[in-house]
């Protein structure tokens, strides 16, 4: 491990459009880096929260065409920080989109990717149900990646409800 890790966890609720969300996040990341953070984290679905599936499908982009991926690569390099996008919604060549977390290195490259494994599927007593698995393709593997301060186990939101995932990441050496 090297150096001192100063973490900033940004709180943000995305709107329905990617560009304004990225503008707000860019300002927040700059502020966090200016305050001395060298590891900055954003929430799940930082790029957009579009409740209408048809509209979301129109806005989805492949990873190589996603404005957030390009912007965060540039921002991490410019600010010389590690930047973790809690997740962006990523179109895939076939099938459902991925809810994908990205770790951006100070070099401006994507250092690691993680697709959310555990989907939030729930039925409540009044008859309502929510099935994240209807909207997104679940990931298939845990991700452990090096940071200068120690290994990072990448997860997304609802994964927290599954201690076996965290146990396996910890047993593999995750410190973050």
């Amino acid at each position: 491990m090297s150096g001192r890790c100063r973490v900033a966890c940004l709180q943000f609720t995305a709107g329905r459009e990617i560009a304004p969300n990225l503008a707000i996040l860019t300002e927040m990341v700059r502020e966090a880096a200016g305050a001395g953070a060298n590891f900055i984290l954003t929430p799940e679905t930082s790029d957009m929260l579009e409740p209408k599936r048809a509209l979301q499908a129109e806005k989805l982009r492949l990873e190589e065409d996603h404005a957030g991926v390009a912007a965060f690569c540039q921002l991490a390099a410019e600010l010389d920080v590690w930047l973790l996008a809690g997740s962006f919604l990523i179109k895939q060549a076939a099938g459902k989109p991925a809810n994908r977390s990205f770790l951006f290195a100070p070099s401006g490259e994507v250092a690691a990717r993680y697709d959310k494994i555990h989907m939030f599927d729930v039925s409540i007593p009044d008859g309502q149900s929510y099935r994240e698995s209807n909207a997104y393709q679940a990931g298939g593997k845990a991700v452990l990646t090096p940071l200068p301060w120690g290994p990072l186990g990448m997860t997304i939101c609802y994964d927290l409800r599954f201690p076996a995932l965290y146990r396996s990441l910890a047993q593999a050496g995750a410190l973050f």
Side-chain angles (χ1 to χ4, degrees), residues 44-45 86-89 97-101 113-121 130 132 136-141 154-160 162 165:
E44 180 180 15
T45 59
S87 74
F88 293 150
L89 303 179
N99 187 353
R100 182 170 295 157
S101 182
R113 296 163 181 80
Y114 165 76
D115 289 352
K116 186 176 181 182
I117 293 175
H118 300 100
M119 298 288 111
F120 181 70
D121 287 352
Y130 182 80
E132 195 175 36
Y136 304 106
Q137 178 63 47
K141 64 177 183 169
M154 294 177 69
T155 63
I156 299 173
C157 194
Y158 190 63
D159 284 329
L160 187 61
F162 298 87
L165 173 60

Side-chain angles (χ1 to χ4, degrees), residues 51-115:
K52 296 184 178 179
R53 294 256 172 94
L55 290 176
Q56 182 192 70
E58 291 175 14
K59 297 172 186 178
L60 289 170
R61 298 291 177 265
L62 296 169
E63 180 178 322
E64 56 269 20
D65 299 323
H66 195 288
V69 174
F72 274 32
C73 281
Q74 181 180 350
L75 199 56
E78 174 191 331
L79 300 173
D80 193 33
V81 297
W82 288 88
L83 180 55
L84 180 75
S87 74
F88 293 150
L89 303 179
I90 302 295
K91 181 178 183 175
Q92 299 194 87
K96 299 175 201 172
N99 187 353
R100 182 170 295 157
S101 182
F102 291 91
L103 177 65
F104 301 92
S107 65
E109 298 173 331
V110 175
R113 296 163 181 80
Y114 165 76
D115 289 352

